Amino acid sequence: MLEVQIRTTLPENCALGALNEIMENAVMRVEGLSKIDSNVKGLLRVKAENVQNVLSNLPSYCEGVSLSAKEAKVLIREHTCFVSYPILESGCIITNVEIKDSTLVWNIVCDDESFLSLLSKLEEAEVTFDIIYKGKPNDKSEITYREEEILKVALERGYFDFPKKVKLEELAEYFSIAPSTLSEILRRGQKKVLEKYFKEK
């Protein structure tokens, strides 16, 4: 079993790119993608301070349901995605997609045979890509959903600014957890982000 990360450019009119703009202050995770004929369906998990605001601004090709005041699931009903086609057709499993500026980082799990098929299909489809990681799955270095959520909110609220715009205690109150617990989650998340950053260098 292989864990692979591939970086591609963000295609024009990409649903993920459009949703990322709508969910600017939210944490978005791709939980699944499937291909039916020439359409791609996707399931996203979203955390936001005002999830109803996110749901009310969804484009027509999406539908969402709130799980709580700060969490929702969003279904992309139909979308054309020429980058995801070769990945799904190769037999690889997409576990997450990260949007970074004008690029997409695809997190994929596959075996040797489907990896070779993936390379072939990406080249056939003339998709420009970089392999930024290939190796055995390592859950210990993977940032959790909770860690990502807390790091993102801390960054947006100025916790990492100098001087700090928000105190640890205020963030802990926002998440309804003890400051010591929040501090531990922040340190653990920062360590994983830094390890991943230097591994990709």
Side-chain angles (χ1 to χ4, degrees), residues 1-188:
M1 185 189 301
L2 294 172
E3 186 176 281
V4 180
Q5 282 188 322
I6 293 178
R7 184 190 292 117
T8 67
T9 55
L10 184 67
E12 287 185 24
N13 305 316
C14 175
L16 293 176
L19 288 171
N20 192 50
E21 289 182 16
I22 293 169
M23 302 179 193
E24 186 180 359
N25 296 315
V27 177
M28 181 175 72
R29 280 277 193 183
V30 176
E31 290 199 330
L33 290 170
S34 67
K35 180 178 177 291
I36 302 168
D37 298 324
S38 60
N39 289 318
V40 171
K41 290 189 176 186
L43 180 64
L44 312 176
R45 192 175 189 94
V46 179
K47 284 195 175 185
E49 192 167 348
N50 187 347
V51 81
Q52 287 303 326
N53 187 46
V54 170
L55 294 177
S56 65
N57 287 311
L58 289 176
S60 59
Y61 52 81
C62 293
E63 62 180 86
V65 59
S66 61
L67 304 176
S68 67
K70 295 183 180 179
E71 195 167 359
K73 287 208 176 190
V74 173
L75 177 69
I76 303 172
R77 288 194 300 265
E78 287 185 7
H79 178 57
T80 303
C81 181
F82 296 109
V83 178
S84 67
Y85 291 168
I87 300 174
L88 293 169
E89 288 170 352
S90 68
C92 294
I93 299 167
I94 299 169
T95 57
N96 189 37
V97 186
E98 298 171 38
I99 302 166
K100 297 181 179 179
D101 300 322
S102 60
T103 64
L104 295 172
V105 176
W106 303 82
N107 294 274
I108 299 163
V109 174
C110 59
D111 55 24
D112 290 331
E113 186 178 337
S114 54
F115 176 70
L116 294 174
S117 175
L118 170 65
L119 298 182
S120 174
K121 288 185 179 295
L122 286 170
E123 287 171 4
E124 284 173 20
E126 298 182 352
V127 174
T128 303
F129 67 94
D130 295 310
I131 299 171
I132 55 178
Y133 177 75
K134 178 189 171 208
K136 293 182 180 178
N138 184 0
D139 289 337
K140 290 181 181 177
S141 65
E142 186 67 30
I143 190 167
T144 67
Y145 193 66
R146 182 67 163 165
E147 288 163 353
E148 181 179 356
E149 176 195 24
I150 287 174
L151 283 173
K152 181 167 183 167
V153 171
L155 180 65
E156 288 168 351
R157 294 194 168 205
Y159 178 76
F160 299 109
D161 291 358
F162 185 79
K164 290 183 179 180
K165 293 179 182 173
V166 65
K167 295 180 180 178
L168 182 72
E169 291 76 16
E170 293 174 286
L171 279 177
E173 187 178 339
Y174 172 79
F175 288 107
S176 301
I177 58 177
S180 59
T181 303
L182 180 65
S183 177
E184 182 184 341
I185 295 170
L186 281 168
R187 285 199 310 272
R188 198 166 54 230

